[in-house]
């Protein structure tokens, strides 16, 4: 319902632009006019194909009309955007999915509309040419707890989910061992780690994969008393860091990472 309306809006804008261009060609000034009205054909064409670009983190998404929303993010104010058929939507309990899972659930634009109609949804929104490429619902802050090395637990979170992410390492079939090298992103839930000779080893993530950050994935390099030290990171933080590349120790069992610890 929502996506078809957006497509109809785009088609209507295209038809309007084409009609204005034909009218403009018939005039001598390069713009269509009727009586006191003057239409700037160039502006109409640009409005139908261009818009704002950017990432709005820690925002609140509000429903305006079918296919049209605003996101209010700290330091950026309110920004209007559209949702298209190609927009990826992920939820952790409000849009869709469950809040207690580690990997975000893929939702539909219709589910986003239903949720946003009820109230503002906390989400990160990536926008290109005025159209959202991805809307990722944000989890509530997790309470700190003493766990493993250093600071509190930050399990959960992830901008993507796919068949690559397994429930546990027992589901994997592949190599086992420990690698120390550069971690790179391949696809949702799939990464590589290179050894000292530069040979890359692929691995997957599981629901119980531990992701520890000391400043590269998340967290801080200050591991002294009173410092933040190492903390468990979100999957989307791992993905963001791996798209740039970072050095880490990766423990792999059956082709699935059991623990990823960035270099510190």
């Amino acid at each position: 319902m929502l996506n078809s309306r957006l497509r109809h809006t785009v088609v209507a804008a295209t038809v309007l632009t084409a009609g204005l261009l034909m009218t403009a060609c018939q005039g001598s000034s390069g713009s269509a006019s009727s009586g006191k009205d003057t239409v700037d054909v160039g502006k109409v064409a640009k409005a139908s194909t261009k818009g704002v670009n950017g990432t709005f983190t820690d925002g609140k998404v509000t429903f305006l009309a079918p296919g049209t929303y605003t996101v209010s993010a700290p330091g950026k104010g309110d920004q209007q955007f559209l949702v298209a058929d190609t927009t990826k939507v992920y939820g952790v309990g409000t849009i869709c999915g469950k809040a207690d899972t580690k990997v975000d659930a893929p939702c539909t634009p219709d589910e986003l509309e239903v949720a946003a109609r009820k109230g503002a949804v906390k989400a990160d929104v990536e926008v290109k040419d005025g159209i959202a490429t991805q809307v990722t619902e944000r989890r509530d802050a997790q309470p700190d707890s003493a766990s493993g090395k250093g600071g509190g637990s930050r399990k959960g979170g992830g901008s993507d989910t796919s068949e690559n992410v397994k429930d546990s390492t027992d589901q994997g079939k592949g190599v086992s061992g420990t690698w120390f090298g550069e971690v790179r992103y391949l696809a949702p839930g799939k990464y590589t780690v290179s050894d000292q000779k530069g040979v890359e080893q692929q691995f997957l993530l599981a629901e119980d994969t531990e992701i520890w950050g000391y400043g590269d994935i998340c967290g801080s390099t200050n591991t002294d008393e009173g410092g933040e030290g190492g903390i468990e990171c979100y999957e989307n933080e791992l993905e963001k860091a791996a798209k740039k590349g970072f050095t880490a120790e990766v423990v792999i069992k059956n082709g699935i990472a059991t623990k990823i610890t960035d270099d510190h």
Side-chain angles (χ1 to χ4, degrees):
M1 173 186 67
L2 175 151
N3 294 323
S4 61
R5 289 175 179 168
L6 177 57
R7 289 196 298 271
H8 292 163
T9 301
V10 174
V11 171
T14 304
V15 172
L16 174 61
T17 303
L20 290 172
L21 288 170
M22 291 176 64
T23 306
C25 292
Q26 296 172 0
S28 58
S29 62
S31 64
S33 63
S34 176
K36 297 180 181 180
D37 296 329
T38 300
V39 178
D40 188 328
V41 177
K43 289 183 178 179
V44 172
K46 289 179 181 178
S48 65
T49 59
K50 291 187 177 181
V52 69
N53 295 296
T55 299
F56 300 84
T57 304
D58 198 17
K60 291 184 178 181
V61 174
T62 303
F63 174 83
L64 285 183
T68 306
Y69 301 80
T70 62
V71 56
S72 177
K76 294 187 178 181
D78 294 342
Q79 176 59 54
Q80 185 171 319
F81 66 92
L82 303 178
V83 169
D85 285 336
T86 55
T87 301
K88 295 181 180 179
V89 182
Y90 296 97
V92 290
T94 300
I95 304 176
C96 75
K98 297 180 180 180
D100 58 352
T101 58
K102 186 172 182 179
V103 180
D104 298 349
C107 311
T108 67
D110 286 336
E111 288 174 316
L112 171 63
E113 178 177 318
V114 170
R117 280 180 181 270
K118 297 177 181 178
V121 177
K122 294 184 295 183
D124 298 334
V125 182
E126 298 176 21
V127 180
K128 182 178 181 181
D129 295 332
I131 300 175
T133 58
Q134 185 163 305
V135 179
T136 306
E137 181 186 342
R138 293 184 65 86
R139 280 179 169 79
D140 292 330
Q142 300 295 315
D144 288 343
S145 62
S147 173
K149 301 178 183 178
S153 173
R154 297 185 62 194
K155 286 186 178 180
S159 59
D160 289 299
T161 184
S162 72
E163 68 277 5
N164 293 329
V165 180
K166 306 298 181 182
D167 291 334
S168 70
T169 55
D170 293 334
Q171 293 184 340
K173 293 182 180 179
V175 301
S176 298
T178 299
W179 281 258
F180 184 84
E182 185 175 28
V183 174
R184 287 284 184 178
Y185 172 84
L186 281 182
K190 182 182 289 187
Y191 298 80
T192 64
V193 57
S194 60
D195 60 19
Q196 294 180 348
K197 296 181 180 179
V199 178
E200 294 184 336
Q201 173 61 53
Q202 291 189 18
F203 64 90
L204 305 178
L205 296 185
E207 291 287 335
D208 53 358
T209 299
E210 294 185 24
I211 305 170
W212 287 94
Y214 289 82
D216 289 331
I217 306 173
C218 70
S220 170
T221 57
N222 182 9
T223 57
D224 296 331
E225 184 176 355
E228 184 179 33
I231 59 176
E232 286 195 79
C233 306
Y234 291 119
E235 183 194 338
N236 63 331
E237 292 173 315
L238 170 65
E239 179 179 311
K240 182 178 180 180
K243 285 181 177 179
K244 298 178 181 178
F246 67 92
T247 303
E249 180 184 82
V250 182
V251 181
I252 300 175
K253 178 183 178 182
N254 299 328
I256 300 175
T258 61
K259 189 174 184 180
I260 302 171
T261 307
D262 74 35
D263 187 24
H264 59 282

